[in-house]
Amino acid sequence: MPSLTAYCPERSLSRRTALLCVLTAAAATLPAAPAQARATPSPAPALHFGACPDTVPQPSAPDRVECARLSVPLDWARPDGRRIDVAVSRVPASGTPAEHRGALLVNPGGPGGSGLPYAVTKRARLPENVRRAYDVIGFDPRGVGQSAPVDCGPMGGLFDSPGADPVPVGSTAEQAHLASLRRMADDCAAREADVLPYFSTEQIARDMDAIRAALGEPRTNFLGVSYGTYLGAAYAARFPQRTGRMVLDSVVGPWDWYDFDVVQSRALLRQRDTFFAWTAAHADRFALGDSAHAVRRAYLRARDGLTARPVAGFGPAEFDRAVYRALGRTERWTGLADGLRAYLRDGTVAALRPATAFDSPDSRTYESANRVTKCADAPGPAPRRILADIRRTRTLDSQPVLTGMEASTCAYWSHRPVHRTRLGSPDAPPLLLVASAHDPVTPIEGAHQLRHLLPGSRLITLDHDYSHGVFASRGNTCVDRTAAAYLVDGTLPTTDVRCTGPGLPEVRRTES
């Protein structure tokens, strides 16, 4: 049975399994449940929240955020075995008791995204009636942030600066690419071998249900974005009778992770072509060419230049990461075009370099958790398929963006799962899916396919939109009102809904 104590940060691997932690001066410790109680599925203990770590922002007054820790089994198949702690946050509902609808769990994506601060940041953007109705519950999934974070060390050179070219050309480069994937998998096994099989989405879904039980909620209401949609669909498969109102925004399709990565890599090519055409349409602003073909040539000159001579540790791998990040949100396109112009004009990369270093502690945990979870969810690809897919993608475009191909590492994983994560269930209630028509990160065909596994569910499509993340993100009244009505009143649209998006971004000539 899960037990929850007030929040206290962990600092070492040996403390991951501790059932109690030292509290801040203002909080009190919840006593450990006796062994017999832990083996009993009900009743669940009440939750006792306390202070949050500094990584969790404070909401605007009068709202408040509070945090706690939930003790769960490392392996849910062995509930009396080793345990880990899952960090949980809560921003209470702001409405009256009559308006209250319970708890709304949220997940920001990944795998690897930290949900502890997300309860604050996402809630601030939710429609007011949703904020009044729900206690918004964030949590760091196991392996992430404050929940037994995984550490794969150097990850086969992933954090080298400059990094190796992520697009191998020729047999020598291809074999070097496979060798780096093997080293990445070996680095994870060397540091985290004892937990690798247990940091899967299915185990995280069990953790979600433990949070539900500890909150005293009969069902799990959930808002999942990107990977969060995969997690929500996995929860619905495992606990269809406990599935409440779920909004799955920017849907990951019901594929193995490697198959999803391939689909994404092709969608990025389409999005980049759109970016080239958009940049050319504003040639007077960006001076990169007055046709999509001319802008593409400028783009390749920049990448080739950084491949031949990296600038301050910024080479082809760093360039592709910057492009990958920018293509997913149209509000970043101006910055990408300006960065290309600045490099071609004066050789600087400051405008291309992200504000947060790729090898920061948070990024290292994210990249580690991403591979650990993906590789625990389904069998990995054969190495020969990885090379075949790279070659096939290069026939579509000689210089693709392969930054999102994280599941390639699973080809060499030391703990290969024998089954695939189940998604959706005909026994679950109808859910609400949301997708941007031209999202390159989670292409809309994934939403159409997942809906077949969730009978009766509805899909909101934001037409004329090219960004990742829609509900309470794009500021679209049609999307937000429809999703809010479902969450607050349980009103599911009678048919699919199409909303009008903003189109391609506008450009001000005075920008610099």
Side-chain angles (χ1 to χ4, degrees):
M1 178 175 68
S3 62
L4 190 68
T5 66
Y7 186 83
C8 174
E10 293 171 308
R11 298 299 181 191
S12 66
L13 178 64
S14 63
R15 298 180 66 188
R16 287 183 184 170
T17 60
L19 295 178
L20 298 174
C21 65
V22 178
L23 306 181
T24 57
T29 302
L30 182 69
Q36 180 60 35
R38 287 200 301 272
T40 304
S42 62
L47 299 184
H48 295 266
F49 287 87
C52 289
D54 293 340
T55 55
V56 178
Q58 290 296 317
S60 300
D63 293 330
R64 69 184 190 282
V65 62
E66 48 199 9
C67 294
R69 300 190 73 82
L70 178 67
S71 175
V72 298
L74 173 65
D75 179 6
W76 277 98
R78 297 175 176 82
D80 294 326
R82 177 180 170 185
R83 303 182 75 82
I84 59 173
D85 286 347
V86 172
V88 181
S89 60
R90 176 174 68 182
V91 181
S94 59
T96 65
E99 294 174 286
H100 197 237
R101 297 294 183 270
L104 179 68
L105 274 67
V106 295
N107 179 273
S114 174
L116 208 63
Y118 194 62
V120 177
T121 58
K122 186 63 176 181
R123 182 186 182 277
R125 305 190 69 175
L126 291 173
E128 183 180 3
N129 59 341
V130 178
R131 298 197 304 268
R132 294 181 65 84
Y134 284 100
D135 301 330
V136 177
I137 308 297
F139 66 101
D140 279 349
R142 55 173 63 197
V144 176
Q146 303 291 338
S147 297
V150 292
D151 180 4
C152 289
M155 297 188 71
L158 181 66
F159 303 108
D160 290 351
S161 179
D165 194 326
V167 184
V169 180
S171 59
T172 299
E174 287 176 346
Q175 292 306 310
H177 179 70
L178 293 180
S180 70
L181 297 177
R182 182 186 292 275
R183 290 195 304 273
M184 182 181 294
D186 289 345
D187 286 343
C188 287
R191 290 172 173 258
E192 302 287 359
D194 58 337
V195 302
L196 292 183
Y198 312 116
F199 279 51
S200 67
T201 297
E202 289 180 331
Q203 297 277 357
I204 297 170
R206 298 287 296 267
D207 296 342
M208 282 177 56
D209 197 58
I211 295 172
R212 174 205 60 78
L215 288 167
E217 296 287 337
R219 292 179 179 82
T220 295
N221 303 308
F222 181 66
L223 167 60
V225 181
S226 196
Y227 165 70
T229 67
Y230 190 90
L231 177 57
Y235 184 94
R238 180 77 190 186
F239 304 104
Q241 306 304 326
R242 299 178 192 167
T243 299
R245 298 170 188 173
M246 285 194 174
V247 174
L248 306 183
D249 177 15
S250 301
V251 179
V252 173
W255 305 295
D256 289 349
W257 279 114
Y258 179 77
D259 293 332
F260 167 78
D261 290 350
V262 172
V263 171
Q264 183 193 84
S265 71
R266 310 290 166 79
L268 286 167
L269 295 180
R270 297 191 294 270
Q271 184 84 334
R272 193 178 61 181
D273 285 344
T274 303
F275 167 76
F276 289 157
W278 171 83
T279 304
H282 301 283
D284 57 339
R285 167 67 175 78
F286 299 116
L288 292 172
D290 58 4
S291 70
H293 186 65
V295 175
R296 174 184 167 81
R297 289 199 304 268
Y299 172 95
L300 293 177
R301 286 199 307 274
R303 194 185 191 281
D304 290 346
L306 289 166
T307 301
R309 184 174 296 178
V311 176
F314 196 92
E318 292 73 22
F319 179 87
D320 281 4
R321 280 196 289 268
V323 171
Y324 179 88
R325 177 181 180 275
L327 290 180
R329 300 281 297 191
T330 54
E331 59 264 33
R332 298 169 182 162
W333 286 14
T334 294
L336 176 59
D338 282 343
L340 292 171
R341 181 184 62 179
Y343 170 76
L344 292 171
R345 183 182 60 196
D346 54 30
T348 61
V349 296
L352 293 171
R353 194 186 297 275
T356 301
F358 177 63
D359 63 348
S360 68
D362 287 346
S363 293
R364 285 178 173 267
T365 299
Y366 176 92
E367 298 296 338
S368 296
N370 180 281
R371 273 68 171 188
V372 167
T373 298
K374 282 190 170 185
C375 295
D377 279 349
R384 64 180 178 276
R385 186 187 167 193
I386 295 172
L387 297 183
D389 283 329
I390 291 174
R391 294 166 187 161
R392 191 174 296 114
T393 303
R394 292 192 68 247
T395 65
L396 300 175
D397 191 294
S398 61
Q399 193 59 71
V401 179
L402 303 180
T403 300
M405 300 289 292
E406 297 107 343
S408 297
T409 309
C410 308
Y412 299 102
W413 210 243
S414 60
H415 294 277
R416 297 191 182 191
V418 296
H419 71 285
R420 292 165 171 81
T421 300
R422 292 186 301 119
L423 300 177
S425 170
D427 299 321
L431 308 181
L432 187 62
L433 281 57
V434 186
S436 168
H438 304 287
D439 179 358
V441 180
T442 53
I444 194 169
E445 53 261 42
H448 290 294
Q449 293 202 24
L450 181 62
R451 188 172 57 168
H452 292 310
L453 304 178
L454 295 164
S457 295
R458 298 288 182 256
L459 172 63
I460 305 175
T461 300
L462 184 60
D463 289 324
H464 310 297
D465 187 72
Y466 297 78
S467 288
H468 184 59
V470 181
F471 173 52
S473 178
R474 305 299 294 152
N476 186 275
T477 301
C478 170
V479 172
D480 291 357
R481 284 182 177 174
T482 304
Y486 165 69
L487 286 173
V488 175
D489 301 322
T491 305
L492 194 71
T494 56
T495 62
D496 289 344
V497 177
R498 303 196 76 97
C499 299
T500 302
L504 295 172
E506 296 182 359
V507 174
R508 296 192 301 272
R509 295 187 180 186
T510 57
E511 290 178 346
S512 59

